[in-house]
Amino acid sequence: MSDIRSSNLIPAEQFATTGKTAIDRVMAKQMGFFDRANTLHITSAVDSVDAFQCYDAVHHAVCSVGLQAHRVPLAFILTYLATMAEMRFHLRTGFGRDEEGFGGTVGHYFGGLGQGSGGAASAWQVVSGLMLGAYKRADYGVEMQMAWSAFCFVVAAVLFVDDCDLLHMCVDPDMSDYEFLARKQRAMYFWARLLMASGGSLRDIKCSCYLLMYKFVNGEARLKKMREMPRYEFVIPVFDDVDQPIEQLEVDTAMKTLGVFTAPLSAPKTKSNPDCRSHHLAYMVDKGEKWRVKVSSSKLTTRDIWFSFFQSTKPSMSFGIVPIMDPPEVVEEAFQSLYFRCLPMLGVNRYITKGWRMLPCRFQGLGLPNMALEKLLESLMWLQRHWDVGKGMGLVVREAYERLQVETGLSGNVFLRSFSTYGCLATHTWYKVFWEYLDHYNVRLEIGDGYDVPAVRERDQVFMEVALPQTPHSDWPFLNRVRHHKGIFWLSQLTHADGISIRQSCLDRSRSTDSSMIFPRQEPTASNFEVWRRAIYTISSSTLCLQVPLGWFRRLPYVKLLWKVSRDRSALVCITTATNGRTLYLPSTSIATRHGRRYVRSARPPPPISAFPFIASIITYPDRSVAIHSVALDPIVSEEDRPTTLLATIKSFPNQSLWRYIDLDGDGEWIVDGLARGTLAIVHDGSFMEHLDPAVCSAGGIIFCHVACRIATFSAAERTDSNTASNYRGELLGGLLAALILKAASSLISGDAHPAVLACDNMGVVLHGNERHRSLKEAQSQADIIRCFRAVLAGLPFAISYEHVYGHQDDNVPWESLTLLQQLNTIADQLAKEAIWKAFDTGYYISSNFPFESFRIIIGGRKVTSSIRSALYNDWGSRAARTLFEQRNIISSSNFDLVCWDAVSQAMSIYPRMIPQSLVTLQQSFLRQCGSHWKIRTWSSHCVQYLLNITHRQWLYRNAHIYIKKLDGMTEGEHHTIIDLVKDMMLVDPADLLPCHRGLLQVDFERLGEGSAVDRKLWLTKMHSAIAAAAAPPQCVGPDDDDSAPSSSQSAYTRLAFRSYEEYRRHSGIMATKRSNQAKRVRL
């Protein structure tokens, strides 16, 4: 299978293969089909057809043909299929073993690939690939054309083992609904016949379909309900040539596929439907609710429940979170309600302030997952895997983004715009929801310049950028609707070739069909056209002329029919840009009329295209003749500013901080010559000295030409953070620098270049260098530099291969015994180490914004170079904690950054202990001065742990002696106090009491000590009253005189015991008041 994958023989529609996931399959249908249909308002259909026991129902002849076509050895095919065909099975029960068995015999072979066998999955991919090929040859499938780049690719279906979604889209505007439905039925029937020919069949009870048809209500496109669609019964063939009908689902009915619910209509939260949740969001919350019910009736400890939540429930709930299309507020509210019900099982008061629930443990919150933030996190990780890949899912991602650009009509990076301001210009699609999440959490996503729509003319401007500031915000959707109808993106598409006159056709109500860009189908209302006309007159003038004329053409216009005229205007040629077909037009008469010379179609073959140096704007007449309105020169490509040397080309790249330590041994022309001859040896290495600075890594490289005998060297050091910097990143940095030098050299080679070979001692770099088109892993480390490194290599016009060379061979092998690559690797390693020391001495580090980087995540003003999860939660948690701590009067906003949150996070963030950042900085400088081997991360973590241990021991002591209630609702300390008071009262002199009270000293004290604390407290109360009564004058003794002080006639010991009991009563009253106030605060 590795050979098949490397040869690109696996169809892009097959998602059950290495490097792809079930989420990729769901997103291909959601982003690539549902969103496209809902944006462009094109009649479409999806057939969900499920193969019955696909591994056990495969014809061996078809499988053999497929495997041979994929260059699998014939001996292996015969061995594998013969084993499957003649395998026998024996049934064993409690009564014994079936000796005869059952299975295939000669002449009666068993079909199938063996469910669970190692070759079944690969063989089924081959068989399904044959079916897809035949299906496309029959002209079924959807041709996807990108919105402005016009790149086309065909997607026939979306497959994941036996689950298959056949895609249909009506791209012919003249096709009626009944013709489209009949074609859809033929395509589905043809697929079923292909499956039956390969030995399988469809499972009719699991087959269904969606129909997406649109109507326009007051100019707004809406999906039709089933009752509004033409009635058509869809059937599939089963065994014995019997046709079975399949179910048609409503567009708002979700279907579960691979554990994820999707539907064509996933409405956002609106004022009329404020509680709208997608089907899958409700399914996620339901998973959490089922877990809550289970643990509420279990005997698990609180610790085990927390463990169960994070290890089992959270991954289960978050599965399929990428395709959901709910706003962040809806997701947060849904899970806040779930957390409110789950908190008691987690040992937390459910009435705790909401801010503490999802606040990260780093900031001393509970650390429950913020599922809206998880949605953004997973979406970013998924998108970076496929962005700018150039095939498969990468094409779907690019097509969807170009569609968003043309739909909104905004220039530059759409994701950098304010969603609250410009979100009304986009249809509710996955990209729009992703844009909303970026804006909600202040995440900046920067993409490469290659995703900007190229301007047609000099001084050209995007129409919406000019018209929106002059239009009320409430009219923006109406203006955008008519713009789609007219096919306008640039101002140059409004004007004639003279660059100043507005075309009259832009003011009528007709639909433009001339633009080669893909615009949504619209049916604007009369009021919409009125908004459009006002905007046109606002940006131009009353004479429909631009105030500043457009300049010369920088590229060919975005049109389906391009008109060009000869220098003397003796001939016109009409060029069909899609097929490059040409039609000649000649003057109908040699005498020009007052309306200008007219041209009619000629049957003569047109002259060469070089004979028509001018682009023309024409006026079409009812008799199909045309006249020239104005002309302009062809686009002129200027090469005056193009660098002519390798060093000058490198200096023209962005981020010149990379090239401070580069030595090309001259201007580098020998590198260009060596690349053309194939005589270069390129080796790079990385370095990382964690004991000196865990946030710095470096790279070094060397280029040697064994013909010119010249050497070029380069090196650089980068400072990021301790979670990013590593030897692996240094190795990748060296590879990126080498790739950029090759890119610069390739622009100076006039002919073909020989394949270039690079060497490195890191197998990860070798793997990424040789497999440049594979999608990245979901949690790929150093994803930013790997993506840029692979993109630069993939854009080179010649073949590139990486070789692995063992590093540090000079430690054990004499220098003269090393190979050339090993010697160069040793030099590169020395260059990398020297780069680190130079950086320490000079403080000069490169910028991490690499050239030609097509996907860059900026969080909190810093580029994410390591974990996106950590960066997202730290940034959001910091802002949430700052606000919460200010409101709760814990830490003021001005002092928030003075706390070393990194050290708190590394130790135990659940305890309220903080250390100042200034202490960490001071200790770090001390460790460097004394040459200690301690790392500042380890020291700060240990410091916090020691502080936490002190606090923890204090907490244990206070719980054991003050807070933990034992028998009779009293703490251990209170019990000891009562016992001590009883011992003191036992020694009171009976002469100090009245005769009637002296019996209190004659009780059974052994029995009193073994009794309850209530009995002892009652006895102490009686003794207190007796002492007070004996001290008071006889005439003053009353029921309220218990607090009288003992008289001086009583013994000193009696007075001491009396005062001890008085102190105990006062302290008990204070503690009771404190507990009451604390309970009130908890309830509040």
Side-chain angles (χ1 to χ4, degrees), residues 685-691 693-700 716-734 762 765 780-786 832 836 865-866 937:
D685 201 359
S687 182
F688 177 56
M689 301 180 184
E690 188 176 10
H691 62 283
D693 195 330
V696 176
C697 61
S698 66
E718 180 191 28
R719 172 177 288 278
T720 50
D721 56 69
S722 57
N723 296 322
T724 303
S726 64
N727 188 72
Y728 183 40
R729 187 173 182 86
E731 301 276 1
L732 289 166
L733 179 59
N762 186 284
V765 179
Q780 177 68 58
S781 62
Q782 314 297 345
D784 63 320
I785 193 171
I786 291 176
I836 283 191
T865 55
S866 56
R937 292 179 58 188

Side-chain angles (χ1 to χ4, degrees), residues 425-443:
L425 300 177
T427 307
H428 185 69
T429 58
W430 186 89
Y431 261 136
K432 180 181 179 179
V433 176
F434 177 67
W435 179 15
E436 182 178 6
Y437 276 80
L438 291 175
D439 187 73
H440 183 77
Y441 289 107
N442 297 328
V443 176

Side-chain angles (χ1 to χ4, degrees), residues 138-216:
D139 198 25
Y140 294 123
V142 178
E143 183 181 18
M144 302 282 190
Q145 179 179 337
M146 296 190 182
W148 57 263
S149 63
F151 182 83
C152 296
F153 60 98
V154 177
V155 179
V158 180
L159 287 86
F160 196 94
V161 193
D162 58 337
D163 291 321
C164 175
D165 289 325
L166 301 178
L167 309 180
H168 316 277
M169 190 167 284
C170 182
V171 295
D172 186 359
D174 298 327
M175 182 180 290
S176 66
D177 289 345
Y178 279 102
E179 290 174 337
F180 171 74
L181 297 179
R183 175 179 171 81
K184 167 195 170 305
Q185 171 61 47
R186 291 195 300 270
M188 182 173 58
Y189 208 88
F190 184 74
W191 178 265
R193 286 293 188 182
L194 286 174
L195 185 61
M196 295 175 69
S198 65
S201 64
L202 292 179
R203 190 181 310 181
D204 56 325
I205 60 174
K206 293 191 67 177
C207 295
S208 59
C209 68
Y210 286 113
L211 285 183
L212 285 73
M213 295 183 175
Y214 297 86
K215 61 181 181 180
F216 291 87

Side-chain angles (χ1 to χ4, degrees), residues 806-935:
Y806 288 98
H808 305 286
Q809 291 297 299
D810 57 318
D811 295 340
N812 304 313
V813 180
W815 177 263
E816 59 275 5
S817 300
L818 297 176
T819 64
L820 175 62
L821 292 181
Q822 291 174 346
Q823 291 177 348
L824 296 178
N825 179 260
T826 302
I827 299 175
D829 182 62
Q830 294 174 357
L831 290 170
K833 288 182 170 61
E834 291 175 1
I836 283 191
W837 289 108
K838 287 181 183 178
F840 289 160
D841 294 339
T842 63
Y844 181 83
Y845 300 94
I846 66 170
S847 170
S848 297
N849 295 331
F850 303 118
F852 313 109
E853 196 172 3
S854 61
F855 194 90
R856 186 182 300 150
I857 303 172
I858 310 295
I859 299 178
R862 297 182 59 186
K863 175 188 170 184
V864 177
T865 55
S866 56
S867 170
I868 304 177
R869 180 183 300 275
S870 299
L872 266 179
Y873 268 100
N874 289 344
D875 179 70
W876 168 78
S878 175
R879 288 184 277 110
R882 186 188 300 269
T883 303
L884 181 63
F885 290 177
E886 178 76 23
Q887 294 173 351
R888 306 285 292 185
N889 295 324
I890 299 175
I891 303 177
S892 64
S893 298
S894 58
N895 294 332
F896 184 82
D897 293 328
L898 299 180
V899 178
C900 183
W901 296 108
D902 289 336
V904 177
S905 176
Q906 291 163 13
M908 297 172 62
S909 56
I910 59 175
Y911 293 102
R913 173 65 62 181
M914 310 167 196
I915 63 174
Q917 179 67 41
S918 57
L919 176 61
V920 177
T921 305
L922 179 63
Q923 183 65 22
Q924 183 176 12
S925 61
F926 172 74
L927 293 178
R928 287 182 178 176
Q929 290 178 3
C930 66
S932 174
H933 292 289
W934 275 82
K935 301 174 185 177

Side-chain angles (χ1 to χ4, degrees), residues 161-331:
V161 193
D162 58 337
D163 291 321
C164 175
D165 289 325
L166 301 178
L167 309 180
H168 316 277
M169 190 167 284
C170 182
V171 295
D172 186 359
D174 298 327
M175 182 180 290
S176 66
D177 289 345
Y178 279 102
E179 290 174 337
F180 171 74
L181 297 179
R183 175 179 171 81
K184 167 195 170 305
Q185 171 61 47
R186 291 195 300 270
M188 182 173 58
Y189 208 88
F190 184 74
W191 178 265
R193 286 293 188 182
L194 286 174
L195 185 61
M196 295 175 69
S198 65
S201 64
L202 292 179
R203 190 181 310 181
D204 56 325
I205 60 174
K206 293 191 67 177
C207 295
S208 59
C209 68
Y210 286 113
L211 285 183
L212 285 73
M213 295 183 175
Y214 297 86
K215 61 181 181 180
F216 291 87
V217 180
N218 295 326
E220 181 181 358
R222 298 180 183 176
L223 279 167
K224 293 181 179 180
K225 297 290 186 180
M226 283 178 54
R227 63 178 180 272
E228 301 172 309
M229 300 179 186
R231 297 184 63 85
Y232 201 103
E233 184 181 35
F234 300 103
V235 297
I236 58 172
V238 293
F239 291 112
D240 299 327
D241 293 332
V242 178
D243 292 341
Q244 290 289 342
I246 64 172
E247 181 184 9
Q248 180 182 343
L249 303 177
E250 284 281 9
V251 291
D252 57 352
T253 301
M255 181 173 59
K256 186 178 181 181
T257 305
L258 302 178
V260 182
F261 284 93
T262 56
L265 181 61
S266 179
K269 182 178 179 181
T270 60
K271 293 182 179 179
S272 60
N273 190 14
D275 298 327
C276 178
R277 296 179 184 175
S278 67
H279 301 84
H280 192 72
L281 178 60
Y283 180 58
M284 292 164 59
V285 176
D286 185 60
K287 288 182 180 179
E289 185 63 26
K290 290 180 178 178
W291 172 83
R292 184 193 68 83
V293 173
K294 289 181 180 179
V295 299
S296 63
S297 59
S298 68
K299 296 183 179 180
L300 294 176
T301 63
T302 303
R303 183 185 183 92
D304 291 338
I305 293 176
W306 276 97
F307 183 81
S308 171
F309 178 81
F310 280 101
Q311 299 300 321
S312 175
T313 307
K314 178 183 176 294
S316 176
M317 289 193 304
S318 59
F319 178 78
I321 199 172
V322 174
I324 68 170
M325 297 169 61
D326 299 86
E329 297 85 359
V330 175
V331 178

Side-chain angles (χ1 to χ4, degrees), residues 944-994:
V944 173
Q945 289 177 11
Y946 289 143
L947 294 175
L948 293 177
N949 287 337
I950 296 173
T951 307
H952 186 60
R953 290 169 184 169
Q954 292 176 344
W955 178 77
L956 291 177
Y957 176 82
R958 293 175 66 84
N959 276 345
H961 294 84
I962 299 176
Y963 297 114
I964 296 180
K965 304 294 185 180
K966 295 189 176 181
L967 294 176
D968 302 322
M970 298 171 61
T971 65
E972 182 179 356
E974 290 175 338
H975 277 287
H976 288 305
T977 302
I978 293 296
I979 294 296
D980 292 339
L981 288 172
V982 171
K983 291 179 179 179
D984 292 342
M985 288 293 187
M986 287 170 55
L987 301 178
V988 171
D989 190 354
D992 292 337
L993 302 179
L994 296 176

